[in-house]
Amino acid sequence: MPPPADIVKVAIEWPGAFPKLMEIDQKKPLSAIIKEVCDGWSLSNHEYYALQHADSSNFYITEKNRNEIKNGTILRLTTSPAQNALQLHERIQSSSMDAKLEALKDLAGYSRDVTFAQEFINLDGISLLTQMVESGTERYQKLQKIMKPCFGDMLSFTLTAFVELMDHGIVSWDTFSVAFIKKIASYVNKFATDIAILQRSLAILESMVLNSHDLYHKVAQEITIGQLIPHLQGADQEIQTYTTAVINALFLKAPDDKRQEMANILAQKQLRSIILTHVIRAQRAINNEMAHQLYVLQVLTFNLLEDRMMTKMDPQDQAQRDIIFELRRIAFDAESEPNNSSGNVEKRKSMYTRDYKKLGFINHVNPAMDFTQTPPGMLALDNMLYFAKHHQDAYIRIVLENSSREDKHECPFGRSSIELTKLLCEILKVGELPSETGNDFHPMFFTHDRSFEEFFCICIQLLNKTWKEMRATSEDFNKVMQVVKEQIMRALTTKPSSLDQFKSKLQNLSYAEILKIRQSERMNQEDFQSRPILELKEKIQPEILELIKQQRLNRLVEGTCFRKLNSRRRQDKFWYCRLSPNHKVLHYGDLEESPQGEVPHDSLQDKLPVADIKAVLTGKDCPHMKEKGALKQNKEVLELAFSILHDSNGHLDFIAPDKHEYCVWTDGLNALLGKDMMSELTRNDMDTLLSMEIKLRLLDLENIQIPDAPPPIPKEPSNYDFVYDCN
């Protein structure tokens, strides 16, 4: 007979004694269980003790998390969080440097536990740590000279404990003094060679900027881009990542009127070329966190275009109208200008109207009206002027080539530029905030100071080329734009390393090539629609579905590393989840760092029987997406979120690293529960595998036309004389 669901069998350790095997009744108060354990070892004052996990996490067991205890868990009887916090509070103030160092090391480890953190913070522990940091350099100047490694370790553990305590979100960031900020900022310069101190100092600065408007201004006064740039030129990618994160935070939180000014400073300090040389083109792989920070920097840089994108042209503004005149002048400079006498006013107006028509504007009389739609607003005019000035030969060629045509196949440069700018803004999501999980940066945008304008210049020439290849007329404008969008998207997916490489990719994606690709994709989807093929599809579909199901379950058995996200600060904190080979238990647990390869089951401390799973929730229905915070506002995070509800009224919350992993896990979990796999990935896999299987089975019928209906049964023969009787 199986034990009751509320009874959990565990082992409990106590230093200097043999471990005890116990059955814990989850219905009993935790204090009663601890008293029972203490009585077994004849320990008095049971209220001074607590239970904690005996694994690397050392997290305390509380009434809130006790349901996570599973059969076979190893626990440890230890000092209660309140007692431990009190003792450490005293120990870190010790006059002995060795004792102080050991205490700070312990504090850094314990601070990861929210139960301990709450107790230590209640003792005003955060204030004590900030005082130690503020007075640290002066107080230990002599120590620093005599025992520099000891001082470095002490400061490193102090900052680590501070970061971990603040990460729980118990204390507001607004409470810190200017003296503390100055000290942290000074560490960014003083301890450039001490990786641990530098890393934690950068992490603290990032959190201050992201979590407090007032602290943003104070940090911005204390730390300059010039002080951060040298850290990007080092060889340590983790320091480069934290440095880029601080720059992004300062960029993100800067007031609108200061953001362009900061972008100009970044350009002066050659941030782009430094990142290109020392990060993107360095001889090492870019990790996920660095990729995320580069993506954020890319998004924030392109978002500077939003103001121009949303600014309508004022037809009465002479400076703006002069830009249109300049476009006309560059294109038609060779033509003779009429005299400015009053008698030639009408003639001049007529000539301007004719030229604006040649330039491809919709409104020939007043082309300024073409730029009153937002988006793309004035950004389109900026792009046109950049193209005309920096790629003058190509600009003149396109304008004159189309203006001289009289067969209705001319490509309207003005209208094309406006619609193309709007399309590029959509593709690059100009104006949208960066995603918490995005890492889709494009190296080519870091190769030029005016990358968006150069991107436009390449694409407008592509549009003109595609227009000619399609022999399009004005009625085909939207069709051309659809083809151009497909060409650009297909080229971007290859992640070209430079704008020249992007241009080369587009050369290979001519209209004829796009037609071939479309035809090939259409054949995969539509070619096999005859009745016998449909019947064959129906017959083999269950086999394919079972194959997909097995693949999903195998991927769950391999497991996935998930990132822990919160609204306060993005951190390299991970946890891993995998399915047992017999498909009966989910193993999961926290990790110190992103794993290289699979994580063994025995190193994952927590278990969840598949039989206990009630349901799988996705998107905004997930408990962690209903909580207050910045994450719930982010559409991309919502699309990657899913949760497992289990019997003990608990839930296991996930944010997948990408859409592919999201589909794999939701499919796999639904398969375990006997439900249909409904993801987009399953549909795509089904189409691909079904198409391949059909083609393989029809190989012998190549060049033989398959009839729509079965052949008719022939009439009976008039005699059976042809039958040979073996007897």
Side-chain angles (χ1 to χ4, degrees):
M1 181 178 174
D6 295 317
I7 302 297
V8 188
K9 295 183 178 181
V10 299
I12 301 179
E13 299 175 344
W14 171 250
F18 287 109
K20 282 189 174 184
L21 295 176
M22 275 191 71
E23 289 188 353
I24 290 179
D25 186 349
Q26 292 284 39
K27 289 182 178 178
K28 287 174 67 174
L30 193 57
S31 57
I33 295 169
I34 293 170
K35 184 177 186 305
E36 186 182 334
V37 175
C38 289
D39 290 345
W41 274 307
S42 303
L43 299 171
S44 57
N45 299 324
H46 71 274
E47 62 273 12
Y48 291 162
Y49 295 93
L51 292 172
Q52 68 179 177
H53 287 283
D55 55 28
S56 58
S57 71
N58 292 328
F59 286 167
Y60 281 102
I61 305 297
T62 64
E63 290 291 354
K64 285 184 179 179
N65 65 21
R66 62 184 295 178
N67 287 329
E68 295 174 10
I69 302 173
K70 306 299 177 186
N71 283 318
T73 302
I74 301 174
L75 304 177
R76 182 188 298 120
L77 184 66
T78 187
T79 315
S80 70
Q83 283 295 111
N84 198 8
L86 188 62
Q87 291 170 11
L88 279 171
H89 194 274
E90 294 170 359
R91 286 171 58 202
I92 61 174
Q93 300 179 73
S94 169
S95 57
S96 164
M97 290 299 111
D98 288 339
K100 193 183 191 79
L101 180 63
E102 194 62 34
L104 286 167
K105 183 179 179 181
D106 290 344
L107 179 63
Y110 280 114
S111 295
R112 293 172 57 238
D113 187 306
V114 66
T115 312
F116 169 85
Q118 184 68 69
E119 296 293 345
F120 189 77
I121 289 168
N122 290 344
L123 297 171
D124 214 14
I126 293 281
S127 297
L128 178 59
L129 290 179
T130 54
Q131 287 167 19
M132 289 171 66
V133 169
E134 287 172 18
S135 62
T137 308
E138 291 79 4
R139 190 174 174 186
Y140 300 118
Q141 264 183 337
K142 292 180 182 177
L143 172 69
Q144 189 177 0
K145 292 176 182 176
I146 302 167
M147 303 172 65
K148 195 168 183 179
C150 177
F151 174 79
D153 289 344
M154 194 177 292
L155 184 56
S156 172
F157 290 135
T158 304
L159 295 178
T160 302
F162 176 84
V163 169
E164 295 291 354
L165 290 168
M166 290 303 298
D167 194 42
H168 296 297
I170 299 168
V171 178
S172 168
W173 283 93
D174 287 309
T175 57
F176 298 108
S177 66
V178 175
F180 179 72
I181 297 167
K182 284 179 179 287
K183 191 64 68 177
I184 295 297
S186 72
Y187 293 157
V188 172
N189 300 319
K190 286 183 181 177
F191 295 97
T193 55
D194 192 317
I195 300 299
I197 294 174
L198 180 57
Q199 178 190 315
R200 284 151 184 78
S201 299
L202 289 167
I204 291 169
L205 291 176
E206 182 201 0
S207 293
M208 284 178 171
V209 172
L210 291 178
N211 290 285
S212 168
H213 181 70
D214 290 339
L215 287 185
Y216 157 74
H217 292 287
K218 292 173 183 175
V219 171
Q221 289 171 356
E222 295 302 325
I223 197 86
T224 65
I225 300 299
Q227 292 169 314
L228 294 170
I229 291 287
H231 299 310
L232 289 171
Q233 296 171 307
D236 190 292
Q237 190 172 113
E238 196 169 359
I239 294 301
Q240 290 176 326
T241 304
Y242 276 91
T243 304
T244 311
V246 174
I247 292 172
N248 284 338
L250 289 167
F251 207 161
L252 184 64
K253 293 298 178 180
D256 291 341
D257 57 330
K258 295 284 186 184
R259 204 164 288 165
Q260 187 60 56
E261 183 184 320
M262 185 174 173
N264 295 337
I265 294 171
L266 295 178
Q268 289 170 10
K269 299 293 182 182
Q270 297 185 317
L271 174 72
R272 178 198 58 74
S273 59
I274 288 169
I275 287 177
L276 182 67
T277 304
H278 297 280
V279 179
I280 296 174
R281 290 181 177 170
Q283 298 300 310
R284 60 172 180 267
I286 294 176
N287 62 37
N288 285 338
E289 181 62 19
M290 187 75 240
H292 170 74
Q293 295 300 340
L294 292 174
Y295 152 80
V296 172
L297 183 59
Q298 175 184 292
V299 171
L300 294 176
T301 304
F302 284 141
N303 280 357
L304 292 170
L305 304 168
E306 184 183 10
D307 184 48
R308 294 294 282 173
M309 181 182 79
M310 300 308 293
T311 301
K312 294 181 179 181
M313 185 170 183
D314 180 1
Q316 306 306 317
D317 189 318
Q318 188 59 42
Q320 294 179 1
R321 294 180 58 165
D322 286 346
I323 298 175
I324 298 176
F325 291 147
E326 181 68 4
L327 288 173
R328 183 201 155 278
R329 185 195 67 76
I330 294 171
F332 306 113
D333 192 42
E335 296 189 11
S336 58
E337 288 284 347
N339 295 325
N340 289 328
S341 62
S342 57
N344 285 323
V345 170
E346 290 302 320
K347 187 177 179 182
R348 190 165 69 250
K349 280 185 178 179
S350 173
M351 186 187 71
Y352 280 7
T353 300
R354 186 190 71 228
D355 288 348
Y356 291 146
K357 184 177 181 181
K358 288 180 180 179
L359 278 168
F361 290 113
I362 297 172
N363 192 320
H364 308 149
V365 178
N366 187 4
M369 299 304 294
D370 287 15
F371 300 96
T372 55
Q373 180 191 358
T374 58
M378 287 296 292
L379 185 59
L381 189 57
D382 294 342
N383 283 339
M384 292 167 73
L385 183 63
Y386 181 91
F387 182 49
K389 285 190 169 182
H390 293 83
H391 299 269
Q392 196 165 321
D393 290 345
Y395 167 70
I396 293 172
R397 177 178 55 78
I398 287 176
V399 172
L400 297 183
E401 188 179 87
N402 287 290
S403 63
S404 62
R405 300 187 70 157
E406 296 181 358
D407 55 0
K408 296 186 179 180
H409 290 290
E410 68 276 2
C411 176
F413 173 74
R415 183 184 175 192
S416 298
S417 298
I418 293 167
E419 289 302 318
L420 179 63
T421 301
K422 184 178 178 182
L423 174 64
L424 298 184
C425 289
E426 287 174 7
I427 290 172
L428 298 177
K429 299 180 179 178
V430 174
E432 292 186 22
L433 285 174
S435 157
E436 284 281 348
T437 56
N439 56 11
D440 186 25
F441 79 97
H442 293 277
M444 72 177 191
F445 292 131
F446 290 85
T447 62
H448 201 285
D449 289 328
R450 303 287 294 274
S451 58
F452 184 81
E453 289 87 344
E454 288 293 326
F455 186 41
F456 168 84
C457 293
I458 293 170
C459 294
I460 192 66
Q461 293 177 72
L462 167 74
L463 193 154
N464 187 63
K465 173 174 168 282
T466 303
W467 185 283
K468 288 190 291 185
E469 290 172 349
M470 292 177 69
R471 289 193 54 78
T473 62
S474 56
E475 286 81 12
D476 302 317
F477 190 89
N478 291 334
K479 290 180 183 177
V480 176
M481 292 305 297
Q482 287 171 6
V483 173
V484 169
K485 181 178 181 179
E486 187 172 345
Q487 289 169 315
I488 295 170
M489 294 299 289
R490 287 186 183 276
L492 284 177
T493 54
T494 63
K495 291 291 179 75
S497 59
S498 67
L499 289 163
D500 285 339
Q501 198 177 82
F502 174 68
K503 196 172 182 178
S504 175
K505 298 279 184 189
L506 290 176
Q507 290 292 334
N508 297 328
L509 283 169
S510 63
Y511 177 57
E513 186 62 27
I514 292 293
L515 284 180
K516 284 182 187 175
I517 294 169
R518 286 181 174 180
Q519 188 176 0
S520 173
E521 290 174 350
R522 200 179 300 117
M523 281 178 65
N524 289 338
Q525 295 171 6
E526 299 173 3
D527 265 14
F528 304 112
Q529 297 301 317
S530 62
R531 188 176 154 197
I533 302 298
L534 291 175
E535 288 178 359
L536 180 59
K537 276 186 178 181
E538 201 174 315
K539 182 180 177 182
I540 62 178
Q541 197 161 330
E543 300 172 25
I544 302 294
L545 198 59
E546 183 61 29
L547 185 66
I548 294 171
K549 176 183 172 183
Q550 289 306 317
Q551 187 273 340
R552 299 291 191 268
L553 294 176
N554 289 341
R555 278 289 293 106
L556 264 61
V557 170
E558 289 174 19
T560 300
C561 177
F562 297 92
R563 186 185 297 276
K564 284 191 171 183
L565 290 178
N566 57 53
S567 58
R568 297 181 297 281
R569 184 163 63 91
R570 186 181 172 92
Q571 276 196 311
D572 276 333
K573 287 194 173 183
F574 304 93
W575 67 289
Y576 200 88
C577 187
R578 63 180 298 182
L579 181 65
S580 62
N582 63 4
H583 300 174
K584 291 187 177 180
V585 178
L586 281 173
H587 298 264
Y588 62 97
D590 293 339
L591 300 176
E592 292 297 324
E593 57 186 3
S594 183
Q596 303 297 320
E598 290 184 21
V599 176
H601 294 99
D602 51 14
S603 65
L604 301 173
Q605 61 269 27
D606 297 309
K607 298 178 184 178
L608 174 62
V610 172
D612 288 352
I613 298 176
K614 288 181 179 177
V616 177
L617 302 178
T618 59
K620 61 184 179 183
D621 295 327
C622 299
H624 58 315
M625 291 294 106
K626 292 179 179 176
E627 296 169 2
K628 289 184 179 179
L631 287 180
K632 76 169 187 175
Q633 306 298 333
N634 196 303
K635 184 183 174 185
E636 288 193 40
V637 172
L638 274 175
E639 290 175 350
L640 298 175
F642 62 99
S643 295
I644 296 174
L645 301 186
H646 49 85
D647 269 354
S648 52
N649 293 322
H651 48 87
L652 197 57
D653 300 322
F654 300 76
I655 295 177
D658 51 50
K659 192 67 178 176
H660 182 271
E661 287 297 319
Y662 169 84
C663 292
V664 165
W665 273 85
T666 52
D667 282 344
L669 292 169
N670 281 324
L672 285 173
L673 299 178
K675 296 181 179 178
D676 292 337
M677 299 182 292
M678 304 296 290
S679 77
E680 184 182 343
L681 183 64
T682 293
R683 289 195 295 275
N684 292 340
D685 286 352
M686 173 63 77
D687 291 343
T688 303
L689 293 171
L690 205 52
S691 174
M692 286 172 61
E693 185 65 22
I694 292 284
K695 287 176 181 176
L696 284 171
R697 295 197 182 197
L698 297 180
L699 276 177
D700 292 339
L701 298 178
E702 199 166 351
N703 298 324
I704 298 175
Q705 189 172 359
I706 299 169
D708 290 332
I713 299 172
K715 294 179 181 179
E716 287 191 20
S718 57
N719 62 66
Y720 293 89
D721 292 345
F722 56 84
V723 177
Y724 178 74
D725 188 357
C726 296
N727 297 324

